[in-house]
Amino acid sequence: MRWFRNRAPDEPASLRKQMVEGQIRARGLTEKPLLRALLEVPRHEFVRARSVVEAYGDHALPIGHGQTISQPYIVALMTKVLEPKRGLRVLEVGTGSGYQAAVLAACGMEVYSIERIPELAELARENLAAAGYLDRVRLRVADGSKGWPEEGPFDRIIITAGAPDVPPPLIEQLAPGGVIVAPVGGYGLQTIYRYRKVDGELEREAVEGARFVPLIESEVGEE
Ligand code: SAH
């Protein structure tokens, strides 16, 4: 691995390598396509960090407008349990910075992502374009709890904000055999669950505890 040793340790590619080895593989996530995607996506270009080193740290980071992006391990874990596969259609609720969307695109999926804050959606668009993923990610400014009915059904749905439960429209827009990964629970503390649609019903499996910013559903009459 000569190329790696010769690089300055604080170059983004080296920091990504350290992130993947120290935070992801060391915690037991070893799927090659997942690790390749995390090595590929330039996280430092999506987050607000004081330095490139901080962008690859083992923690959540602010992305503006009071929102945060999860620590790399949580992004990796949610992506893994989503069972990514090349060519699948995935709906993300909560685009934020666009980082998670880029990771899903790097896994070979066709990504549809919804964000309710227009400024964040615009930022995500710029980030995704700069990193070269915009051709594989479609963005929409709306209340994602209603899904994207015109583009459904989706093989996969990932919610990156905490809610008391999975909004019913998302369950309707999930294809048979499809998977939803979502942090569900109270304000500020949730459990990440994996749901699988079997015979029209959702089977639920707990994955890990987590802390996400809340999913904010629009009131009736809004939009
Ligand atoms: N996945 C993002 C981080 C998400 S933070 C990333 O990779 O950076 C959660 C995001 O969900 C915030 O940007 C917040 O504005 C958004 N959000 C909250 N409620 C929403 C809703 N009902 N519809 C769409 N987006 C929502």
Side-chain angles (χ1 to χ4, degrees):
M1 295 273 271
R2 225 179 125 76
W3 62 270
F4 175 54
R5 255 188 270 126
N6 285 347
R7 270 192 196 166
D10 59 351
E11 271 188 24
S14 301
L15 291 166
R16 278 201 290 284
K17 183 91 182 155
Q18 290 168 38
M19 173 189 88
V20 164
E21 294 305 323
Q23 302 174 32
I24 313 297
R25 200 200 294 274
R27 292 187 180 124
L29 306 188
T30 57
E31 292 74 10
K32 287 223 170 63
L34 170 68
L35 300 186
R36 265 200 298 274
L38 294 165
L39 283 175
E40 186 185 293
V41 180
R43 180 171 165 96
H44 66 288
E45 292 182 6
F46 288 82
V47 299
R48 277 200 193 171
R50 280 178 299 244
S51 67
V52 174
V53 171
E54 193 190 48
Y56 291 99
D58 194 9
H59 44 71
L61 280 167
I63 56 173
H65 300 271
Q67 307 301 318
T68 54
I69 180 174
S70 310
Q71 79 185 107
Y73 171 69
I74 293 295
V75 173
L77 180 65
M78 288 182 77
T79 306
K80 175 204 154 110
V81 299
L82 191 65
E83 301 173 5
K85 278 193 196 78
R86 195 158 283 282
L88 292 188
R89 294 160 65 80
V90 55
L91 175 69
E92 179 191 28
V93 176
T95 317
S97 69
Y99 177 71
Q100 173 77 68
V103 170
L104 297 171
C107 291
M109 303 210 271
E110 237 179 83
V111 186
Y112 293 81
S113 187
I114 309 179
E115 169 59 52
R116 61 179 285 274
I117 301 178
E119 291 85 358
L120 277 178
E122 187 47 40
L123 183 72
R125 183 178 302 281
E126 288 166 18
N127 292 341
L128 288 162
Y133 294 101
L134 199 53
D135 58 334
R136 288 169 272 169
V137 181
R138 282 192 51 201
L139 299 172
R140 178 181 192 180
V141 179
D143 174 4
S145 64
K146 299 186 169 64
W148 195 332
E150 302 81 5
E151 295 294 349
F154 298 97
D155 306 298
R156 302 285 186 265
I157 297 177
I158 181 169
I159 308 177
T160 62
D165 220 332
V166 177
L170 299 181
I171 302 172
E172 281 159 32
Q173 292 168 37
L174 184 67
V179 173
I180 299 180
V181 173
V184 166
Y187 194 91
L189 189 62
Q190 306 92 19
T191 302
I192 298 171
Y193 288 101
R194 168 165 57 195
Y195 301 82
R196 200 183 298 276
K197 202 177 204 176
V198 181
D199 299 327
E201 301 283 323
L202 280 195
E203 290 176 354
R204 184 174 99 160
E205 193 186 335
V207 176
E208 189 152 321
R211 227 169 253 278
F212 280 78
V213 294
L215 183 77
I216 299 177
E217 304 190 27
S218 59
E219 306 292 327
V220 178
E222 233 181 51
E223 277 190 275

